Amino acid sequence: MGLHRLIGRLAMTPFSKALPAMGDTERAALEAGTVGFEGQLFAGQPDFDALIARGPNRLTDEERHFLDHEVNTLIGMLDDHAIDKAGDLPPEVWRYLREQRFFGMIIPKEHGGLGFGHYAHAEVVTRIATVNTACAVTVMVPNSLGPAELLLRYGTPAQQQHYLPRLADGRELPCFGLTSPHAGSDAAAIPDRGVLTERDIDGRRVRGFSVRFDKRYITLAPVASVVGLAFQAVDPSRPAGQQELGITCALLPVPTPGMEIGHRHRPMDSAFMNGPIRGDDVFVPMDWVIGGEERVGQGWRMLMECLAAGRAISLPAMGAAMQQTALFVVNGYGQVREQFGLPIGRFHAIAGITAQMAARLYATDAARRYTAAALDAGERPSVASAILKVQLTEAGRRAVNDGMDVLGGKGIIAGPRNLLGVAYRHAPIAITVEGANLLSRALIIFGQGATRCHPFVLEEMGAVQAQDPERLGRALVGHVGHVMRNLWRSLAHAPVRGHPPADLRAEARLLTSLSARYALTADLAMGLLGGKLKRMELLSARLGDALAALYLAAACVWRYEVEKDPTMLPVARAAIRLQLHEAATLLRDLYANLPSRFLRAMAPMLLHGTGHLAPLRDREALALADALRTQPALMRWLCPDVSRPKRGGLLDLMLALEAARALGDEVPELNKALRRAGSLEEVARGSRNPEAALAYLRAAEQVIGVDEE
């Protein structure tokens, strides 16, 4: 008997007990998508040549023209406060979205769509979201998880030919019903059932499903003309135990007998359309099943494969928009608003917040851009997309919270001049949808990452399921060698692989070392706890968050290299240090909470050298905030998507900053005059440029002012 087979036979029983059970739905989720650079980080061996080889984001001439013209025209039609108050987009905006094929961005040109890449799609959503969230959500849903992508990947030729042109030009507006009242985060357990049957339709016998369903939180449902529906297919003619066919996806036109679009939901009183869908004895012919009869029961795999890419686009774009807008507002308001005779942005408390916001934005947007480049190269990184969804939506919420702190009373008075109030109200929505962040951190980022990204775990699970001792033995020998290598790299030296930018070599060395320690820690936690780790969500969430922090730090290295702008070096360094500090802190917290006295005692040795990873010293934060305040080009680089709305507080701030730049060093004196009130015209007459001074004073007064009713 060979050594590998012997090891496998000895290990088979304990591994069968230790490894978590894996059902079909979980297997479909695990096998969805591809593994990219996040796999190298999980293995403790990041290769910077492989990272940088991804190359920069690129837009085609058509994509660039669309952003510069159609998107800018749309943004000029959007009044955030008016839309929020009306509870809907204006009719002219709906009409423009259809006419310019905003709903068909991902649909290929041969089917009448725009045929845009992932990066262009994300850029469109980001720019719109800096001005109005409701419009951005309306645009993103038909281009995200929904009928269009499912039809492109799995639809029959007849379904594609009928629906794709109609979806592209807005004749059909889709929604997709997955979430049920009793199956939210556990979406795979949806109770909605479709019983296989036959009905007489127009004189012929038609196979299909009689479906009963109850869906809620369905975006665009109140205005949809075609409903995507996920349900559990059942064949009662089969023997007991074989009747469940699995989750199935279908398209139902509106109206369909038995289907009811319920009253409208109002997520945080937002203006985008959302509502429930219900049906009782709704007949779904087999031709309505996406992909036809051969795709019955494959719906969960289809959805997971689409989400492997979709999570990286729309909601991260919304998070990026929230961050960019909040930083623009905080930095700009800090220059216009004065207290105690100084612009508030120069006070250290606010300067520190501004610098932290900028560093986080650089990191999260770097990860978003890097992952979009991977998607456009044909990858479908499921773990990385979950990282983006969690990190960008959380960063967006944090940025808006920070912005509200800086704005003070200005931020809490509702009205058209409020700068962040609507965004503050919307922030929890992105946290909740497409996999709640509480779930995603533990079960998707680490739970899926532990099997997909680890070089040996998935092979071990497959060997146990196949009861193959030889295969298990080979995987275990490789796994032990992997652990020993990472132990050596953690205790002694972790060599940098590849050629990171010379300016960031020290940060790349720290990232490599921390990646090895993360890989070792993940193996120790899995080895100690086995399948129990899946249920110990406080521990697995820390492991998920630490992997996310490493991914964001690596993306910063990539971004600095491909953008090749040395003026961004202080921001890039701050962003990387911030993420490395976060990862190290999470690992220390993890060891402190492991149910092993031995590993807790080993933690100082295994994590030695990570205690000095302070993210931003005070002097560095103040210097960065000063640069943001005095170098407009730096802000344009960090906030390229912040766009000019039709009216409102953001436009007031933009006008004030533009007027201030025209006046130069006169602004402090004008601000003092503004505080003394009196006639703005009289103050402006004393300026070197009275016309520009009056424009600034009027705009600044709007920025400082609040609304009355």
Side-chain angles (χ1 to χ4, degrees):
M1 181 183 295
L3 178 62
H4 291 138
R5 187 172 181 81
L6 176 62
I7 293 172
R9 286 187 62 181
L10 293 172
M12 186 64 72
T13 299
F15 264 67
S16 297
K17 295 177 180 178
L19 289 176
M22 184 164 54
D24 291 339
T25 54
E26 189 172 8
R27 178 175 293 279
L30 287 174
E31 293 175 353
T34 59
V35 177
F37 192 76
E38 65 278 11
Q40 295 186 23
L41 292 168
F42 203 103
Q45 300 183 63
D47 182 342
F48 291 97
D49 285 348
L51 176 75
I52 292 166
R54 176 58 59 211
N57 302 115
R58 300 190 187 281
L59 295 170
T60 66
D61 291 342
E62 289 178 86
E63 291 166 346
R64 174 61 64 191
H65 185 276
F66 191 82
L67 282 163
D68 292 342
H69 294 84
E70 283 81 356
V71 173
N72 282 345
T73 299
L74 171 65
I75 286 168
M77 301 166 69
L78 300 176
D79 182 334
D80 192 38
H81 177 73
I83 290 170
D84 191 62
K85 193 169 183 178
D88 194 5
L89 302 176
E92 62 270 20
V93 171
W94 279 108
R95 185 166 54 250
Y96 188 78
L97 292 173
R98 287 184 163 95
E99 289 173 352
Q100 301 304 322
R101 302 183 182 238
F102 276 84
F103 300 135
M105 287 190 291
I106 68 167
I107 297 174
K109 293 179 182 178
E110 57 265 31
H111 292 296
L114 297 177
F116 283 179
H118 297 285
Y119 178 62
H121 169 198
E123 281 298 287
V124 171
V125 174
T126 305
R127 290 197 185 182
I128 298 170
T130 64
V131 170
N132 180 251
T133 299
C135 186
V137 170
T138 302
V139 168
M140 86 182 195
V141 168
N143 291 287
S144 185
L145 176 64
E149 187 171 6
L150 289 167
L151 285 168
L152 284 168
R153 290 173 60 83
Y154 312 107
T156 65
Q159 290 170 343
Q160 292 174 345
Q161 290 164 16
H162 174 75
Y163 275 114
L164 290 176
R166 299 171 67 84
L167 291 167
D169 63 19
R171 281 177 290 168
E172 300 281 10
L173 194 61
C175 68
F176 194 88
L178 176 61
T179 303
S180 298
H182 298 288
S185 295
D186 187 13
I190 54 175
D192 313 286
R193 290 168 63 85
V195 179
L196 187 63
T197 185
E198 291 186 354
R199 299 233 175 132
D200 288 319
I201 298 179
D202 297 330
R204 63 188 183 93
R205 201 71 174 161
V206 177
R207 280 167 58 81
F209 295 93
S210 171
V211 188
R212 184 174 185 174
F213 57 90
D214 185 2
K215 305 289 188 181
R216 66 179 181 184
Y217 311 147
I218 311 305
T219 301
L220 296 187
V223 291
S225 62
V226 59
V227 172
L229 183 70
F231 61 90
Q232 298 278 5
V234 178
D235 182 357
S237 68
R238 292 189 172 198
Q242 301 177 27
Q243 295 180 355
E244 299 287 338
L245 304 180
I247 292 176
T248 299
C249 297
L251 292 179
L252 285 63
V254 177
T256 288
M259 181 171 69
E260 171 199 357
I261 307 293
H263 294 295
R264 185 177 171 187
H265 293 319
R266 293 298 294 266
M268 299 307 293
D269 205 29
S270 178
F272 69 83
M273 292 293 168
N274 188 283
I277 304 169
R278 303 179 184 94
D280 188 12
D281 191 26
V282 177
F283 183 65
V284 177
M286 205 62 74
D287 286 348
W288 293 5
V289 173
I290 297 176
E293 188 161 0
E294 66 181 73
R295 291 286 183 182
V296 169
Q298 297 184 26
W300 187 246
R301 181 178 294 276
M302 291 158 59
L303 292 168
M304 290 302 98
E305 288 174 351
C306 288
L307 271 174
R311 276 197 185 102
I313 302 297
S314 296
L315 289 172
M318 301 281 285
M322 292 174 73
Q323 283 183 275
Q324 289 186 37
T325 304
L327 177 60
F328 183 89
V329 165
V330 165
N331 188 64
Y333 189 74
Q335 296 173 56
V336 175
R337 177 66 162 161
E338 288 197 354
Q339 291 289 282
F340 306 103
L342 285 174
I344 63 171
R346 292 176 61 182
F347 288 98
H348 288 191
I350 292 175
I353 289 174
T354 308
Q356 293 274 345
M357 290 174 70
R360 289 194 194 93
L361 171 58
Y362 186 92
T364 54
D365 219 26
R368 182 178 71 91
R369 292 164 184 266
Y370 173 78
T371 309
L375 289 166
D376 281 333
E379 294 185 21
R380 302 182 73 80
S382 54
V383 175
S385 68
I387 287 173
L388 284 199
K389 191 274 172 180
V390 171
Q391 292 296 314
L392 270 292
T393 56
E394 292 288 355
R397 174 164 66 174
R398 183 169 185 171
V400 172
N401 283 345
D402 287 342
M404 292 291 284
D405 287 347
V406 172
L407 291 174
K410 166 79 176 178
I412 60 174
I413 303 302
R417 286 190 283 189
N418 191 298
L419 289 160
L420 292 175
V422 176
Y424 180 79
R425 208 175 69 237
H426 286 159
I429 301 173
I431 302 296
T432 303
V433 298
E434 278 193 24
N437 288 0
L438 280 172
L439 166 81
S440 298
R441 292 167 57 224
L443 296 186
I444 300 179
I445 297 174
F446 181 72
Q448 189 169 352
T451 50
R452 288 305 308 275
C453 295
H454 194 285
F456 297 103
V457 167
L458 191 59
E459 179 67 8
E460 290 164 353
M461 293 175 74
V464 169
Q465 188 168 18
Q467 291 294 294
D468 186 337
E470 178 79 17
R471 181 180 169 190
L472 178 59
R474 289 186 182 278
L476 286 174
V477 169
H479 196 153
V480 170
H482 170 74
V483 171
M484 297 309 295
R485 283 190 296 273
N486 281 323
L487 178 61
W488 171 251
R489 293 188 184 105
S490 299
L491 296 178
H493 174 61
V496 174
R497 301 176 66 197
H499 302 84
D503 291 337
L504 295 177
R505 188 158 186 86
E507 284 73 19
R509 200 160 42 240
L510 290 170
L511 175 58
T512 299
S513 174
L514 207 51
S515 175
R517 295 161 199 242
Y518 174 83
L520 176 65
T521 302
D523 268 312
L524 292 175
M526 288 188 289
L528 171 68
L529 299 170
K532 291 188 295 184
L533 183 57
K534 181 178 176 180
R535 299 187 299 275
M536 302 177 74
E537 294 171 346
L538 297 178
L539 297 180
S540 54
R542 289 188 181 97
L543 287 163
D545 289 344
L547 178 62
L550 294 174
Y551 186 77
L552 266 61
C556 294
V557 177
W558 169 83
R559 182 177 182 180
Y560 182 76
E561 175 64 20
V562 299
E563 290 183 349
K564 298 187 183 303
D565 186 348
T567 62
M568 296 299 291
L569 181 60
V571 189
R573 278 184 173 153
I576 295 170
R577 296 283 178 143
L578 195 70
Q579 296 304 320
L580 295 181
H581 175 263
E582 178 72 11
T585 301
L586 286 161
L587 290 181
R588 286 195 291 272
D589 289 347
L590 177 77
Y591 276 105
N593 287 280
L594 282 174
S596 167
R597 186 176 300 174
F598 174 73
L599 287 181
R600 291 199 299 270
M602 291 285 288
M605 180 178 67
L606 296 175
L607 296 177
H608 73 95
T610 62
H612 70 287
L613 291 174
L616 269 178
R617 302 294 185 191
D618 287 351
R619 64 179 183 279
E620 295 167 336
L622 296 176
L624 178 53
D626 184 64
L628 292 168
R629 195 170 54 250
T630 57
Q631 299 175 30
L634 194 59
M635 280 297 298
R636 286 195 296 271
W637 198 265
L638 283 169
C639 305
D641 299 305
V642 176
S643 300
R644 201 178 192 92
K646 183 177 182 178
R647 64 175 62 92
L650 183 61
L651 179 61
D652 294 337
L653 181 59
M654 289 176 172
L655 294 174
L657 295 174
E658 289 166 6
R661 282 194 288 273
L663 289 165
D665 59 5
E666 268 196 282
V667 171
E669 289 301 317
L670 289 171
N671 283 340
K672 289 179 182 177
L674 187 65
R675 290 200 309 277
R676 291 194 295 269
S679 167
L680 301 184
E681 290 78 6
E682 182 180 346
V683 172
R685 281 195 292 271
S687 167
R688 296 192 301 265
N689 187 342
E691 185 177 345
L694 184 58
Y696 170 75
L697 288 168
R698 285 174 172 167
E701 191 167 63
Q702 288 296 312
V703 170
I704 294 169
V706 297
D707 296 285
E708 301 176 7
E709 289 188 357

